Amino acid sequence: MGGATPRNVAIGVQNFEDLIVHQDFYVDKTGFIKEWWENRDAVTLITRPRRFGKTLTMDMVEKFFSIQHAGKEDLFEGLAIWRERGYREPQGTYPVIALSFSSIKETSFLGAKNAIYQVIERGYGEYDFLLESDRLSAREKQMFQRVSYFFGMI
């Protein structure tokens, strides 16, 4: 009596790489990358109920495009997006600044505002290596520095 080893259902895990590396149960949502990319929307609003996978989906998109994850094709092999040959090339080629506000649970406006500022400040700090790279234009680097300075000083 053989069969596949049952997969762990990792409830609450919001890190795409962790799910794939640990071979946890994962419903393939990588088709969203193609759909989103081809829609060419200026803004994307994802409205779903709590615990519906919004943060995990955004983490998946970040892991797919971010230069910080270049060379991690193995995360996507066997998934829907990897069957789309034209989508293999952009994996790991863009500077992506990913911010999640899912951990903000403040109950006052001021508390929530300060928590949001901290998330943005950490995000800019995490990606400050872009200032030394050729991935951003001079104008983009200037804007990065202005925004980073503003949130760092609050």
Side-chain angles (χ1 to χ4, degrees):
M1 180 169 171
T5 304
R7 292 185 171 192
N8 181 41
V9 178
I11 297 171
V13 173
Q14 298 176 336
N15 185 303
F16 174 76
E17 185 172 4
D18 285 351
L19 283 175
I20 300 302
V21 168
H22 293 109
Q23 299 182 340
D24 293 328
F25 181 77
Y26 173 69
V27 175
D28 186 356
K29 294 181 183 180
T30 59
F32 173 80
I33 295 169
K34 180 179 187 276
E35 179 183 336
W36 174 76
W37 188 260
E38 291 178 0
N39 280 341
R40 300 179 45 86
D41 296 328
V43 174
T44 302
L45 176 63
I46 300 173
T47 58
R48 295 287 184 265
R50 285 178 39 96
R51 315 292 324 148
F52 205 80
K54 297 178 296 291
T55 302
L56 176 60
T57 300
M58 293 298 94
D59 189 66
M60 171 200 64
V61 170
E62 187 250 335
K63 296 288 192 307
F64 184 79
F65 286 111
S66 177
I67 59 175
Q68 288 186 298
H69 297 92
K72 294 211 173 181
E73 301 90 2
D74 56 320
L75 295 177
F76 298 94
E77 288 175 359
L79 298 176
I81 194 65
W82 215 246
R83 290 190 288 274
E84 299 286 338
R85 296 240 180 246
Y87 283 87
R88 292 181 181 188
E89 190 174 314
Q91 193 281 318
T93 60
Y94 289 91
V96 175
I97 296 176
L99 303 173
S100 173
F101 302 115
S102 65
S103 65
I104 296 174
K105 310 290 185 214
E106 306 300 325
T107 57
S108 71
F109 173 78
L110 186 58
K113 182 179 106 175
N114 288 336
I116 290 169
Y117 280 6
Q118 289 173 359
V119 167
I120 293 170
E121 181 183 1
R122 277 193 309 271
Y124 271 81
E126 184 177 337
Y127 294 93
D128 65 357
F129 70 92
L130 291 171
L131 294 170
E132 304 300 322
S133 76
D134 61 353
R135 298 285 183 158
L136 299 178
S137 69
R139 184 174 176 273
E140 289 169 328
K141 287 179 182 182
Q142 185 179 43
M143 177 64 78
F144 187 110
Q145 288 172 321
R146 282 201 320 254
V147 173
S148 179
Y149 178 78
F150 173 78
F151 284 103
M153 297 307 289
I154 300 298

